[in-house]
Amino acid sequence: MHGIMKPDRKIMIISTASVAGREEEAGPLGGSFDLTDTKDDSFGMKTWEKAESEMQRLALGLALSKASLTDDDVGALFAGDLLNQCVGSNYGLSGYKIPYFGLYGACSTAAEGIMLSALTCDAMPVRAAAVTSSHYCAAERQFRYPLEYGGQRTPTAQWTVTGSGAFIVSSVEEDAEKRRGTRVPVITEWLPGYVVDRGITDVNNMGAAMAPAAADTIKRYFDGGHSPEEFDMIVTGDLGHEGSDILCELLLSERIDISKVHTDCGKLIYDAAAQDKHAGGSGCGCSAVVMAGHILRNICDGVLNSILFIGTGALMSPLALNQGSSIPGIGHLLHIKGEVL
Amino acid sequence: MHGIMKPDRKIMIISTASVAGREEEAGPLGGSFDLTDTKDDSFGMKTWEKAESEMQRLALGLALSKASLTDDDVGALFAGDLLNQCVGSNYGLSGYKIPYFGLYGACSTAAEGIMLSALTCDAMPVRAAAVTSSHYCAAERQFRYPLEYGGQRTPTAQWTVTGSGAFIVSSVEEDAEKRRGTRVPVITEWLPGYVVDRGITDVNNMGAAMAPAAADTIKRYFDGGHSPEEFDMIVTGDLGHEGSDILCELLLSERIDISKVHTDCGKLIYDAAAQDKHAGGSGCGCSAVVMAGHILRNICDGVLNSILFIGTGALMSPLALNQGSSIPGIGHLLHIKGEVL
């Protein structure tokens, strides 16, 4: 899988759901999320971690019910998040009786989960689900400071998205039959990433740490015979404003100009002028809710036709940084096309 | 994948490697590990976390070189560990240029990684690697107390294994050709687990938390038409002495008697009489080094013929337990047979 993977079967994203918080609801994509807690981001739970689990439970439940599916209809569940030991997923999804594969891909988890779902769907006619989440309050106290501390953020700092996205991927013929004549997002290619570490150590500049990994995967994809002009959109997961600029520059130095079609879920989710979010959104939930709520919907509606989605992740831990290590990044690429079945 | 999965291709475990610590070297399986640090478990590193990463780097390197493979020959790398954000794997394997899929399956990671490798190998002719690890000193300070604190352990407490195992799985025809006439472990079936939570909250009795999950998967497997008599060995990952007893009792109440062929990697790795390890070994490294070093070697040598391996994992975090949650468990089952190619 060092090269671009093309499935033998038709692999469709047959259902998605997005659950998000107050700040996300207030942003430019607010209207696109299925369910939001506009009160206090607690989703009725007593701790932020439990709120994050609850978001995942709700997101998968919604994605299943939108497609009129039950647990039995889905053969594999790929899920992970940023919390230590991925407890957002482990607890949030423990009520579902679906074979469970825990992932840790940091903020690339949505892309990793969709890719492994696609791989599973290529091996056999089956449905697989990918779920991930992040919660601003849980992430801040785990990775940086508890909110009560009131720590200042630097201009390159990003804002962890409170949100969860769920995706149901299918290669089941019956699902295609049911959707005849409708426009469905189809996963036509994928290219998994290598771990790339360029020596960035600033935990308040994750965009810079992840951009080289995204650039590496995108370059390998275009070296495989594609060009940026083929796509309506090349969207990265959560490089934010800072990381997006770095990505475009890195690729330009390789004579690949994606600037006309590039955007980033971390740039789209908040209003840079009206919301005090510095370098933009980040976290597992960032690309998950933007893809599930906004971009895949645009593909279904025909607003977008052919896109590249590169899920980006920073694979460090606070302890590793305290021990002097730099931040390894990863970028997993999916080519998704709107197709009238 | 709610039912037993049977691959279309022949899926071989073509190479394994095990790296372990001083206590593991001193145990009954000491002679079976490829590389051990009998001095101080540091593997030449300054921190326990970096030592754990180094074990993974060494294990994968050894597994590749035993099969005369380079990074380019392996299409996917599935890896994870117990450390927050899985930094054992992320840093240990960042030097390898192999498409990287981070996992979090707690102590079931070896089984999860081998299963996803098998799934990948079923989808296409390819090689995939699974790597995992744990380190006693890193795990104790993260999950319980720093060693310097000198906390007492209860009789049901297990001892996190210091070790890393790597497995190269292949469905490449050329690999079968090369091994014609030799005996190779072949993955003939697998059954992924559900998340099962029976309300155990004692972090010093992980065996009890994981046993119901293992029992659930094993019962589903035998409900699928198999019986315990078909197997030379039914080996669980790290239930230890306590959890193993619970597993056998749980299954007996379902009229399934595995007691004659059941053992557990956590029971095998230390000498219960001579080593002060209470309820036995645990951790991602436990099943990884026992499978890679001992059991799969016995399959190659013809000592064992047909086995079930059930990787067990406890999916909690210290924070989740502090917030009053119980411990969810998981058990992933693999049927592995020795086959003369």
Side-chain angles (χ1 to χ4, degrees):
Chain A
M1 306 210 287
H2 290 268
I4 301 166
M5 300 289 314
K6 289 175 202 287
D8 294 324
R9 299 177 199 271
K10 187 177 292 295
I11 296 174
M12 306 160 283
I13 301 178
I14 59 166
S15 184
T16 64
S18 53
V19 174
R22 194 170 50 175
E23 294 289 316
E24 294 68 31
E25 169 72 24
L29 308 181
S32 70
F33 307 128
D34 293 304
L35 196 153
T36 52
D37 180 349
T38 50
K39 200 172 126 255
D40 59 6
D41 288 358
S42 74
F43 293 86
M45 295 290 144
K46 283 191 174 171
T47 72
W48 301 126
E49 291 76 15
K50 290 184 181 180
E52 184 167 343
S53 287
E54 180 64 6
M55 287 194 295
Q56 287 210 21
R57 191 186 71 78
L58 290 166
L60 180 56
L62 278 167
L64 289 171
S65 62
K66 277 189 196 183
S68 304
L69 298 172
T70 66
D71 297 13
D72 286 346
D73 301 321
V74 179
L77 174 50
F78 296 95
D81 54 87
L82 289 170
L83 296 178
N84 293 344
Q85 288 75 54
C86 298
V87 287
S89 307
N90 298 345
Y91 286 95
L93 305 175
S94 66
Y96 291 97
K97 259 196 143 174
I98 305 176
Y100 182 79
F101 296 94
L103 305 182
Y104 187 79
C107 307
S108 74
T109 305
E112 183 185 350
I114 297 171
M115 194 176 284
L116 289 174
S117 295
L119 184 75
T120 307
C121 290
D122 194 26
M124 68 198 93
V126 73
R127 297 181 197 94
V131 188
T132 188
S133 66
S134 52
H135 195 297
Y136 173 68
C137 307
E140 281 302 304
R141 73 170 165 194
Q142 183 185 277
F143 284 102
R144 283 165 285 260
Y145 304 104
L147 296 184
E148 295 82 351
Y149 178 78
Q152 288 240 341
R153 291 179 298 125
T154 67
T156 58
Q158 293 176 245
W159 186 279
T160 304
V161 166
T162 298
S164 172
F167 306 82
I168 316 267
V169 181
S170 172
S171 58
V172 175
E173 182 54 34
E174 183 195 321
D175 288 333
E177 279 305 326
K178 260 192 207 164
R179 288 161 181 82
R180 281 280 172 256
T182 65
R183 210 176 144 81
V184 170
V186 172
I187 302 170
T188 54
E189 292 177 324
W190 61 87
L191 182 62
Y194 302 131
V195 179
V196 174
D197 191 335
R198 293 283 180 271
I200 303 291
T201 55
D202 182 1
V203 74
N204 289 311
N205 194 351
M206 306 296 273
M210 297 187 287
D216 180 81
T217 308
I218 295 171
K219 182 181 181 309
R220 286 193 293 127
Y221 182 76
F222 288 130
D223 286 349
H226 288 283
S227 69
E229 292 71 36
E230 295 169 39
F231 303 96
D232 302 323
M233 181 188 269
I234 297 175
V235 58
T236 42
D238 63 340
L239 298 180
H241 298 283
E242 184 79 7
S244 292
D245 290 349
I246 298 172
L247 172 68
C248 290
E249 278 176 38
L250 283 172
L251 286 172
L252 211 53
S253 73
E254 302 277 357
R255 296 169 194 269
I256 299 168
D257 183 4
I258 63 163
S259 59
K260 283 185 198 71
V261 284
H262 176 259
T263 189
D264 181 82
C265 298
K267 286 167 73 171
L268 294 171
I269 193 162
Y270 301 121
D271 183 325
Q275 291 182 294
D276 177 35
K277 297 290 180 274
H278 295 55
S282 69
C284 296
C286 181
S287 61
V289 299
V290 173
M291 287 298 294
H294 175 61
I295 292 176
L296 292 176
R297 192 168 302 193
N298 277 350
I299 289 180
C300 292
D301 294 346
V303 178
L304 289 170
N305 182 34
S306 180
I307 69 153
L308 292 183
F309 165 46
I310 302 98
T312 42
L315 300 170
M316 85 299 168
S317 75
L319 186 72
L321 296 184
N322 286 345
Q323 291 183 2
S325 298
S326 52
I327 304 173
I330 195 156
H332 291 302
L333 180 147
L334 293 155
H335 177 195
I336 304 171
K337 258 182 167 167
E339 207 176 300
V340 179
L341 295 180
Chain B
M1 306 210 287
H2 290 268
I4 300 167
M5 301 288 314
K6 290 174 200 289
D8 294 325
R9 300 177 198 272
K10 187 178 291 295
I11 297 175
M12 306 159 284
I13 302 177
I14 59 167
S15 183
T16 64
S18 54
V19 175
R22 194 170 50 173
E23 294 289 316
E24 293 69 30
E25 169 72 24
L29 307 181
S32 69
F33 307 128
D34 293 306
L35 196 152
T36 53
D37 179 349
T38 51
K39 201 172 126 256
D40 61 4
D41 289 356
S42 75
F43 293 86
M45 296 289 144
K46 284 191 176 170
T47 71
W48 301 126
E49 290 76 15
K50 289 184 182 181
E52 184 167 343
S53 288
E54 180 64 6
M55 287 195 295
Q56 287 210 23
R57 191 186 70 78
L58 290 166
L60 180 56
L62 276 167
L64 289 171
S65 63
K66 277 189 195 184
S68 304
L69 298 171
T70 65
D71 298 12
D72 286 345
D73 300 320
V74 179
L77 174 49
F78 296 96
D81 55 86
L82 288 171
L83 297 178
N84 294 344
Q85 289 73 54
C86 298
V87 288
S89 307
N90 298 344
Y91 286 94
L93 306 174
S94 66
Y96 292 97
K97 259 196 142 174
I98 304 177
Y100 182 79
F101 296 94
L103 304 183
Y104 186 78
C107 308
S108 74
T109 305
E112 184 185 349
I114 296 171
M115 195 177 283
L116 289 173
S117 297
L119 185 76
T120 308
C121 289
D122 194 27
M124 67 198 94
V126 73
R127 295 181 199 94
V131 188
T132 189
S133 66
S134 52
H135 196 297
Y136 173 68
C137 307
E140 282 302 305
R141 74 170 164 194
Q142 183 186 276
F143 283 102
R144 282 166 286 258
Y145 304 104
L147 295 184
E148 295 83 350
Y149 178 77
Q152 288 239 341
R153 290 178 298 126
T154 66
T156 57
Q158 293 176 243
W159 186 279
T160 305
V161 166
T162 298
S164 172
F167 306 82
I168 316 267
V169 180
S170 171
S171 57
V172 174
E173 183 52 34
E174 183 194 322
D175 288 333
E177 279 304 327
K178 259 192 206 165
R179 288 162 181 82
R180 280 280 171 254
T182 65
R183 211 176 143 81
V184 171
V186 172
I187 302 171
T188 54
E189 292 177 323
W190 62 87
L191 182 62
Y194 302 131
V195 179
V196 174
D197 191 334
R198 292 283 180 271
I200 302 290
T201 55
D202 181 2
V203 75
N204 289 311
N205 194 353
M206 306 296 273
M210 297 187 286
D216 180 82
T217 308
I218 294 171
K219 183 182 180 309
R220 286 193 293 128
Y221 182 75
F222 287 131
D223 286 349
H226 288 284
S227 70
E229 292 71 38
E230 295 170 38
F231 304 97
D232 303 323
M233 182 188 266
I234 296 175
V235 58
T236 42
D238 63 339
L239 298 181
H241 298 283
E242 184 79 6
S244 291
D245 291 349
I246 298 172
L247 172 67
C248 290
E249 278 175 38
L250 284 172
L251 286 173
L252 210 54
S253 74
E254 302 277 358
R255 296 167 194 269
I256 299 168
D257 183 5
I258 63 163
S259 59
K260 284 185 197 70
V261 285
H262 176 259
T263 189
D264 181 82
C265 299
K267 286 167 73 171
L268 294 171
I269 194 164
Y270 301 120
D271 184 325
Q275 291 182 293
D276 177 34
K277 297 291 180 275
H278 295 54
S282 69
C284 296
C286 180
S287 61
V289 299
V290 173
M291 286 299 292
H294 174 59
I295 292 176
L296 293 176
R297 191 169 302 191
N298 277 350
I299 288 180
C300 292
D301 294 346
V303 178
L304 289 169
N305 182 33
S306 179
I307 69 154
L308 292 183
F309 165 45
I310 302 99
T312 42
L315 300 170
M316 85 299 168
S317 74
L319 185 73
L321 296 185
N322 286 344
Q323 292 183 2
S325 297
S326 52
I327 304 173
I330 195 157
H332 292 301
L333 180 149
L334 293 154
H335 177 195
I336 304 172
K337 259 182 167 167
E339 206 176 303
V340 179
L341 295 179

